[in-house]
C-alpha cells in the first residue's frame, strides 16, 4: 500500500554538528521513552540488536555532559483523575537497546579521514551551512557562525560515520535533485519499487556503526541533575554557554564556550577550510504559507457539505461556506483526525492524540443559516432512556417507526405517540427534512422547567461594571475613559435577533480599599452611593435599584458616569482589594436570582487587608529550576472557593488589568479562567497610546454573543469516550463541563481514549450538548453532532489528520503540564511525541526509501513548524528576561482558544505591503515568518491575533513613507503612533482598510506597533519570526527539522 508522503531531501538527514549540541535542551530526558499524550503508557519502538550500537567512546572524546534537569517528577497528580500521568524514571536501563552514553560520546568519528577526503565528502553531501553566504576558511569568532546558537557547520562531525567518498558522492546529489525541484509539491508520490530516487539505496541503517551523537539517546540512563530548560548556562555568566571543551573534528579541542544567547547550543567547529558550500534551500522545506495558499486555491469559496462521515474540512485559514447536512459545521467542532484508529493498540502505536476542539457558540458568517430552535412543548427534547443522548441523525428508526435504536449506546427506545411518523421505502421517517434534529448536525431545543434551577424559569442575565478608582487609575485618565465609553456602549448590549432593546440589566460598583454601590433606580433624580467598608463579610447593601434596565434608568446612569471621575479626582488611596469585589458580584446575582458577567477594571496587586490579599512572589531565581512551576500555580484558598461560588451562580468574570508591575497574574486570572471569562492586560497603560486599543477590546467584549450558566456534556458511541478537558471551564466531576458563561470565542478541547474496539462499518459518533441561558433569559439546549470514520489502517488516520487541531491540543496539554512538571520534561515529551508520530508513519505507511530521507505525511508536513514555534512561546521558554505575568497570561489565554486562534498565534501572518495593488480587494499573499523574507526596501505587516507590527525597511521608498505617514522620510518618524494618520491617497486608504479588517476579524484587539529596521524595538518584532532562532533560546525551523529527523531515524534503527 503505497502512501503519499512529503519527501524531503537528504541534507536534513546528515547528522549536523551544530545540532549535536541540542543535547542539553531537548535530547536527554527521562530514562523511559515517554511518548504518550501526556500520560498514555509509554511505548518504545523495538530495540535494535545491541550489536549494532557502539558503546561510549573513551573519555578523551567526551567530557562530562552539561547538567540537565532532573527527571520526570514522579507521582504528579494531574486534574485529580490520573495519578502519576508521567511515570517516574525507571532504573537506568538502555531503553533503545544501547548502553547509556553521554552526550558527546560519539563526537570522535571512528576513523579520522584525510582532510582531502573530508572536503570531497562535504562537497558531495551538499550539507550547506545555513549561514549567510558561503563558509570559507575559519571565520573570526564574532562572525555569525560562532554566535548563532545552533549553527550547523559543514563537517559531518557528530556521530556521522565517515563513509568512504566513493559510493557516497554519487548518492547525495542524485538523491537531492528530484524532491527539491518541485519545491512545494503537495506530496511526492512514492512507488513501492525501491526508493523513489535513482541513487543506490543506502545499505542498512544510516550508520550501522554507531548511534547518533547528542541525539543518540532518546532517553537511556539517568542524567545528572541540574537546572532544566533549553540549555543550562555553565559556571560562567548566563551569556556564555558554559560547555566543557569537546573533541573537535580532528581530535583537537573545539574552542570553549561561544558567547551566544542564553539557550544556545555549543557552536560548531569553525576551523575548517574547504570549498564554498551549497546552501540548503529553505524554500525546499515544507512551508505553512504554501500549504495555506494551496488549500485556499483548492477549496476557497466553495460549499463544504457535511453529509459525509469523516470528511476532512478545509483549513481554518480558508474561506468557505459550510452547509449542515447531518454533521456539525467545522466552525463548531474540529478534530485532530477524522478517522479514528479501530483499536487502542493502533492509537498507542501512532501516538496521534484523538481529540476534538469544540466551540459551541462559534459565530456563523452572514451567508450561513443560524441554528434552528426545536420546541417539543411540555414533553421537552426526546432522549435515549439509557445514555440520555438527544434525538439526532444517528438514531435508527425501526419497527415501522414505532421504536428507534440509539446510535450511541444501541438501546432500543419507544417513540412517544406525539412524535410517531411512518417510514419511507428507505427506512427514513417521512418528516426527515422537516425536523432539524433528524437531518442536521447542529440545532437547539427549548428546555423545559426540569432543566432550570429550582424548576422555575431563569431571569434575564445582568452585567456589573466594577471600576477600581485607586490613585493610579484616576491619574492615568482610565476612569474617565471608561465612564465616557460606557455611555455609548450600554446602548449596544447584546440582544436577541429582531428585538428592539436588550433585556440585560446593568449595575455599577467603584472600589479601592472599600466598595461603593450605586442605586440608579429610574425614579431617582440623582444616583445614590452606598459604601461597604467591611470587606471580610461582603454583602450587597441594596436590592432594589442596583441592577436596572439601562433604557429605563438612562438619565440616572448618565448622571452617575459623569460624576464618578470627579468624585474620586482627589483620591490618594493606592491600595486595592480584589476577591471581595468578585464576592460582591456573586452576592448581587444571588439576590437577583440571575446569572451574568462582571467587568472588572483593575490596576494593581490587591495588597489591602482583606480576603484574597496577595504578596509579591515573583522570583526569577526559580526560572529553569524544579520550582519554576510554582510561578504558574495560583494561590490556593480564597480564589479557589470564589471560582466554585461563581460557577454555581453563573457569574462569569472578565478582568481588564492595567498593571505597572507584577500583579500575580496566575492568581488574579484564576477566577476568570474557570468561569468562561477573559483576561485583558495593558502594561503601563497610557490613554494616548493604549486607550483606543483597550476600548476596542471592551466594545468587543460587551457586544459578544454569549450563553450563561452553561453545563456541557460530550457523549460518544461505544468503544471510545471523552477522558480529558481543556478550556476556561470548571469541572466538579469527570463528565460535566461547567461554564459560568460561554461566548463565541471560547473553545473546549476534549481528548478521547478507547475503551473497546471501534467498528469500521458503523464509524464513531460524538454529541456535544450545552444547556444554557440565552441573553433573553430562556433556557435552551444546543446540540452539535459529528460522525467520524474508523479504520484499522494507520495510513487512513494520517491522511485525515488536521495539523491545526493537533497543535491546539498539544499547546493546551503542554500548558497544563507545566503546572506540575519542569519545563524541560514537557518539551522533551513534545519533541519525542513529534518524532514518534512521524516515525510511525514512516515505518507503517510510507514506501521504502533511503533512510537519509525525511518523509512526512502530507496532512502533517508542516507540523514540525508549529511544534517548534510552540516550544519557543513565552510559557515554555525558561528565560529570566520574560515577565512572569506575561507568561502566565499567555498560558491561560491559550487554554480557551479555538483552532484558528492557536494557528495564528503559533504562525503569525507576515504581509508585504510595499507592492500593494490598491485596486484589488484581495490581501497580498503572506510570506514565511523568517528574517530572510524581509527586504530593506520593504514594508511588512505582522499580526498573530494579539500583537500587530508594521515593519519598515531602512530603504523604504520615500513616496511610500509620504503616502502612509505624511512624512518626507523614515528619520522623521516619532516614537509611539497608536494609529496611522488618515490621509487622502489610495495607498493610505488601502493599508488602513487592511489593518481595520484584521482588527475586526480577530477576537482580541491588537495595538499597532511601528518598528523601523535596526531600531531597538525591532527585537520585539523579531520574536514573531518563528522560523528563525528564538530570541530567548530555541531552534530555527531548519535545525528543529534536522533534529526531529535524527530522532526519527534513531527510533527506526
Amino acid at each position: 500500500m503505497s502512501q503519499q508522503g512529503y519527501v524531503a531531501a537528504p541534507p536534513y538527514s546528515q547528522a549536523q554538528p551544530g545540532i549535536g549540541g541540542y543535547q542539553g535542551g531537548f535530547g536527554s530526558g527521562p530514562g523511559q521513552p515517554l511518548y504518550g499524550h501526556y500520560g498514555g503508557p509509554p511505548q518504545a519502538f523495538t530495540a535494535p540488536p545491541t550489536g549494532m550500537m557502539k558503546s561510549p567512546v573513551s573519555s578523551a572524546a567526551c567530557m562530562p555532559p552539561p547538567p540537565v534537569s532532573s527527571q520526570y517528577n514522579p507521582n504528579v497528580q494531574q486534574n485529580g483523575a490520573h495519578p502519576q500521568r508521567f511515570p517516574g524514571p525507571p532504573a537506568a536501563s538502555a531503553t533503545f537497546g544501547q548502553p547509556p552514553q553521554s552526550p558527546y560520546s560519539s563526537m570522535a568519528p571512528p576513523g579520522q579521514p584525510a582532510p582531502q577526503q573530508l572536503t570531497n565528502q562535504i562537497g558531495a553531501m551538499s550539507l550547506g551551512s545555513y549561514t549567510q553566504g558561503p563558509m570559507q576558511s575559519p571565520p573570526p569568532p564574532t562572525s555569525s557562525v560562532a554566535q548563532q546558537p545552533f549553527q550547523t557547520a559543514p563537517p559531518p562531525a557528530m556521530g556521522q560515520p565517515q563513509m568512504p567518498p566513493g559510493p557516497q558522492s554519487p548518492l547525495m546529489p542524485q538523491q537531492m535533485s528530484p524532491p527539491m525541484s518541485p519545491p512545494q509539491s503537495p506530496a511526492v508520490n512514492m512507488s513501492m519499487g525501491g526508493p523513489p530516487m535513482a541513487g543506490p539505496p543506502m545499505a542498512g541503517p544510516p550508520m550501522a556503526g554507531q548511534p547518533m551523537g547528542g541525539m543518540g539517546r532518546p532517553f537511556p540512563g539517568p542524567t545528572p541533575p541540574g537546572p532544566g530548560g533549553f540549555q543550562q548556562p555553565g559556571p560562567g555568566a548566563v551569556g556564555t554557554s558554559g560547555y566543557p571543551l569537546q573533541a573537535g573534528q580532528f581530535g583537537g579541542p573545539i574552542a570553549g564556550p561561544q558567547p551566544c544567547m542564553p539557550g544556545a547550543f555549543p557552536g560548531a567547529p569553525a576551523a575548517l577550510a574547504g570549498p564554498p558550500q551549497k546552501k540548503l534551500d529553505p524554500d525546499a522545506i515544507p512551508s505553512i504559507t504554501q500549504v495555506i495558499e494551496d488549500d485556499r486555491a483548492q477549496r476557497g469559496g466553495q460549499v463544504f457539505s457535511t453529509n459525509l462521515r469523516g470528511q476532512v474540512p478545509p483549513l481554518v485559514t480558508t474561506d468557505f461556506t459550510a452547509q449542515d447536512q447531518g454533521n456539525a459545521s467545522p466552525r463548531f467542532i474540529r478534530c485532530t483526525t477524522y478517522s479514528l484508529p479501530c483499536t487502542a493498540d493502533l492509537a498507542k502505536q501512532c501516538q496521534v492524540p484523538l481529540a476534538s476542539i469544540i466551540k459551541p457558540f462559534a459565530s456563523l458568517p452572514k451567508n450561513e443559516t443560524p441554528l434552528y430552535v426545536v420546541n417539543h412543548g411540555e414533553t421537552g427534547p426526546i432522549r435515549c432512556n439509557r445514555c440520555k443522548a438527544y434525538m439526532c441523525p444517528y438514531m435508527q428508526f425501526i419497527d415501522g417507526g414505532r421504536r428507534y435504536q440509539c446510535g450511541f449506546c444501541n438501546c432500543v427506545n419507544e417513540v412517544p405517540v406525539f412524535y410517531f411518523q411512518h417510514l419511507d421505502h428507505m427506512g427514513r421517517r417521512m418528516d426527515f427534512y422537516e425536523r432539524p434534529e433528524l437531518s442536521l448536525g447542529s440545532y437547539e431545543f427549548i428546555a423545559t422547567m426540569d432543566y432550570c434551577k429550582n424548576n422555575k424559569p431563569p431571569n434575564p442575565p445582568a452585567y456589573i461594571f466594577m471600576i477600581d478608582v485607586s490613585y493610579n487609575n484616576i491619574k492615568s485618565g482610565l476612569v474617565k475613559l471608561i465612564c465616557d465609553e460606557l455611555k455609548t456602549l450600554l446602548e449596544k448590549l447584546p440582544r436577541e435577533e429582531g428585538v428592539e432593546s436588550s433585556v440585560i440589566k446593568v449595575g455599577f460598583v467603584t472600589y479601592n480599599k472599600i466598595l461603593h454601590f450605586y442605586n440608579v433606580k429610574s425614579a431617582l433624580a440623582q444616583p445614590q452611593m452606598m459604601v461597604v467598608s467591611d470587606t471580610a463579610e461582603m454583602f450587597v447593601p441594596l436590592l432594589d435599584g442596583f441592577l436596572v434596565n439601562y433604557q429605563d434608568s438612562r438619565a440616572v446612569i448618565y448622571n452617575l458616569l459623569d460624576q464618578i471621575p470627579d468624585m474620586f479626582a482627589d483620591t490618594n488611596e493606592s491600595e486595592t482589594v480584589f476577591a471581595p469585589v468578585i464576592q460582591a458580584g456573586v452576592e448581587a446575582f444571588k439576590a437577583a436570582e440571575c446569572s451574568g458577567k462582571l467587568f472588572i477594571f483593575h490596576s494593581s496587586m490587591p495588597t489591602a487587608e482583606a480576603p484574597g490579599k496577595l504578596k509579591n512572589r515573583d522570583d526569577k531565581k526559580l526560572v529553569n529550576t524544579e520550582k519554576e512551576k510554582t510561578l504558574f500555580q495560583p494561590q490556593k484558598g480564597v480564589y479557589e472557593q470564589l471560582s466554585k461560588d461563581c460557577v454555581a451562580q453563573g457569574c462569569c468574570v472578565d478582568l481588564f488589568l492595567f498593571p505597572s508591575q507584577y500583579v500575580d497574574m496566575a492568581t488574579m486570572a484564576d477566577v476568570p479562567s474557570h468561569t468562561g471569562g477573559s483576561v485583558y492586560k495593558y502594561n503601563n497603560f497610557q490613554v494616548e497610546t493604549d486607550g483606543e486599543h483597550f476600548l476596542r477590546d471592551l466594545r468587543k467584549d460587551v457586544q459578544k454573543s454569549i450563553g450563561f450558566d452553561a453545563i456541557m456534556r460530550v457523549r460518544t458511541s461505544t468503544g471510545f469516550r471523552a477522558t480529558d478537558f481543556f478550556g476556561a471551564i470548571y469541572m466538579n466531576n469527570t463528565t460535566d463541563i461547567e461554564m459560568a458563561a460561554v461566548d463565541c470565542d471560547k473553545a473546549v478541547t476534549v481528548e478521547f481514549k478507547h475503551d473497546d474496539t471501534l467498528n469500521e462499518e458503523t464509524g464513531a459518533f460524538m454529541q456535544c450538548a450545552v444547556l444554557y441561558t440565552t441573553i433573553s433569559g430562556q433556557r435552551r439546549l444546543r446540540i452539535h453532532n459529528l460522525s467520524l470514520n474508523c479504520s484499522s489502517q494507520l495510513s487512513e488516520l494520517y491522511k485525515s489528520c488536521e495539523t491545526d487541531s493537533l497543535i491546539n491540543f498539544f499547546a493546551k496539554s503542554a500548558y497544563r503540564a507545566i503546572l506540575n512538571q519542569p519545563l524541560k520534561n514537557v518539551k522533551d515529551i513534545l519533541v519525542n511525541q513529534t518524532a514518534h508520530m512521524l516515525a510511525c508513519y514512516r515505518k507503517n505507511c510510507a514506501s521504502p526509501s533511503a533512510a537519509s530521507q525525511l518523509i512526512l505525511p502530507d496532512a502533517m508536513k508542516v507540523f514540525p513548524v508549529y511544534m517548534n514555534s510552540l516550544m519557543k512561546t513565552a510559557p515554555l521558554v525558561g528565560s529570566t528576561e520574560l515577565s512572569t505575568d506575561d507568561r502566565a497570561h499567555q498560558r491561560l489565554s491559550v487554554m480557551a482558544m479555538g483552532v484558528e486562534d492557536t494557528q495564528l498565534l503559533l504562525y503569525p501572518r507576515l504581509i508585504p505591503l510595499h507592492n500593494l495593488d490598491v485596486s484589488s480587494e484581495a490581501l497580498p499573499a503572506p510570506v514565511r515568518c523568517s528574517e530572510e523574507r524581509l527586504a530593506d526596501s520593504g514594508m511588512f505587516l505582522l499580526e498573530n491575533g494579539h500583537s500587530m507590527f508594521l515593519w519598515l525597511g531602512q530603504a523604504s521608498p520615500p513616496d511610500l513613507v509620504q503616502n502612509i505617514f505624511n512624512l518626507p522620510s523614515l528619520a522623521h518618524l516619532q516614537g509611539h503612533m497608536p494609529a496611522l494618520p488618515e490621509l487622502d491617497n489610495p495607498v493610505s486608504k488601502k493599508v488602513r482598510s487592511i489593518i481595520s479588517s484584521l482588527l475586526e476579524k480577530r477576537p482580541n484587539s491588537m495595538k499597532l506597533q511601528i518598528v523601523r529596521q535596526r531600531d531597538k524595538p525591532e527585537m520585539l518584532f523579531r520574536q514573531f519570526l518563528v522560523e528563525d532562532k528564538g530570541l530567548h533560546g530555541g531552534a530555527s525551523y531548519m535545525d528543529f527539522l534536522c533534529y526531529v529527523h535524527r530522532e526519527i531515524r534513531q527510533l527506526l534503527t
Side-chain angles (χ1 to χ4, degrees), residues 402-638:
R402 283 187 289 279
R403 301 194 298 163
Y404 68 91
Q405 183 172 21
C406 172
F408 295 92
C409 69
N410 302 322
C411 171
V412 174
N413 298 271
E414 295 292 323
V415 173
V417 180
F418 83 93
Y419 200 68
F420 174 78
Q421 178 61 264
H422 295 285
L423 307 184
D424 64 11
H425 63 286
M426 292 165 60
R428 271 207 316 212
R429 285 175 53 125
M430 304 291 245
D431 60 357
F432 179 79
Y433 287 110
E434 282 120 63
R435 291 198 176 271
E437 74 273 24
L438 300 181
S439 53
L440 298 178
S442 302
Y443 42 86
E444 295 201 312
F445 288 118
I446 302 262
T448 54
M449 285 309 133
D450 305 343
Y451 293 89
C452 302
K453 273 191 189 152
N454 314 326
N455 285 358
K456 57 184 210 187
N459 289 316
Y463 282 0
I464 304 178
F465 297 90
M466 314 181 100
I467 306 170
D468 161 2
V469 289
S470 62
Y471 177 75
N472 281 347
N473 282 0
I474 294 287
K475 191 185 70 176
S476 70
L478 176 66
V479 174
K480 182 161 174 31
L481 188 71
I482 294 169
C483 291
D484 288 347
E485 179 62 29
L486 286 180
K487 291 178 194 168
T488 50
L489 191 50
L490 293 175
E491 299 280 354
K492 299 177 190 154
L493 292 172
R495 56 173 190 256
E496 293 286 342
E497 287 293 313
V499 183
E500 245 177 61
S501 63
S502 173
V503 292
I504 293 178
K505 294 203 149 73
V506 294
F508 302 88
V509 172
T510 56
Y511 67 94
N512 38 44
K513 269 186 359 190
I514 56 179
L515 279 75
H516 325 103
F517 296 79
Y518 296 93
N519 182 346
V520 284
K521 209 157 119 185
S522 55
L524 296 173
Q526 284 285 337
Q528 295 169 345
M529 179 207 254
M530 307 208 169
V531 177
V532 177
S533 50
D534 181 6
T535 48
E537 296 292 322
M538 207 54 229
F539 68 99
V540 177
L542 73 162
L543 288 181
D544 187 29
F546 177 59
L547 294 176
V548 298
N549 181 309
Y550 171 69
Q551 297 301 335
D552 301 345
S553 299
R554 187 190 288 158
V556 193
I557 291 173
Y558 255 60
N559 206 326
L560 171 67
L561 294 171
D562 279 336
Q563 290 180 28
I564 288 176
D566 300 338
M567 255 189 301
F568 299 98
D570 304 328
T571 186
N572 49 17
E573 181 55 74
S574 58
E575 282 197 313
T576 56
V577 296
F578 183 60
V581 180
I582 299 176
Q583 191 66 53
V586 177
E587 297 300 330
F589 290 151
K590 262 189 199 151
E593 294 184 358
C594 70
S595 50
K597 191 185 243 196
L598 309 179
F599 295 82
I600 304 181
F601 304 93
H602 189 91
S603 65
S604 57
M605 195 149 64
T607 51
E609 277 311 320
K613 171 184 176 177
L614 296 177
K615 55 180 193 298
N616 188 340
R617 60 191 183 108
D618 185 19
D619 184 358
K620 288 283 199 280
K621 288 201 285 298
L622 299 181
V623 174
N624 283 330
T625 69
E626 280 287 318
K627 290 203 177 131
E628 182 166 9
K629 55 186 181 235
T630 58
L631 297 174
F632 296 115
Q633 295 165 353
Q635 304 276 18
K636 293 272 183 271
V638 177

Side-chain angles (χ1 to χ4, degrees), residues 914-987:
H914 41 276
N915 38 17
L916 266 183
D917 177 359
V918 285
S919 57
S920 140
E921 280 299 293
L923 264 180
V927 296
R928 297 175 73 155
C929 284
S930 165
E931 191 182 347
E932 292 185 352
R933 308 288 153 170
L934 302 174
D936 285 2
S937 59
M939 177 166 89
F940 292 84
L941 184 70
L942 180 141
E943 58 112 11
N944 71 349
H946 291 261
S947 306
M948 183 184 264
F949 292 90
L950 185 60
W951 182 92
L952 303 158
Q954 278 183 315
S956 302
D959 54 333
L960 187 66
V961 177
Q962 183 67 50
N963 279 334
I964 288 177
F965 298 102
N966 201 15
L967 295 169
S969 76
L970 276 188
H972 293 75
L973 195 61
Q974 293 305 316
H976 295 290
M977 188 183 280
L980 295 179
E982 297 191 19
L983 304 175
D984 190 13
N985 68 64
V987 178

Side-chain angles (χ1 to χ4, degrees), residues 162-175:
Q162 305 296 343
M163 300 184 183
Q168 186 169 357
S169 307
L171 173 75
M172 291 302 176
Q174 254 172 312
Q175 260 196 339

Side-chain angles (χ1 to χ4, degrees), residues 655-712:
L655 178 58
F656 292 82
L657 268 176
F658 304 87
S660 50
Q661 56 205 42
Y662 174 79
V663 289
D664 194 355
M665 174 63 87
T667 304
M668 292 193 72
D670 192 44
V671 177
S673 66
H674 282 100
T675 57
S678 308
V679 180
Y680 302 91
K681 182 162 180 275
Y682 312 91
N683 296 339
N684 304 313
F685 178 83
Q686 291 178 318
V687 172
E688 304 71 53
T689 51
D690 307 289
E692 217 20 69
H693 166 45
F694 153 63
L695 292 179
R696 276 196 302 262
D697 274 334
L698 178 59
R699 287 169 199 144
K700 272 197 166 136
D701 199 42
V702 170
Q703 297 172 51
K704 263 180 195 175
S705 58
I706 185 169
F708 292 94
D709 204 3
I711 185 157
M712 172 165 127

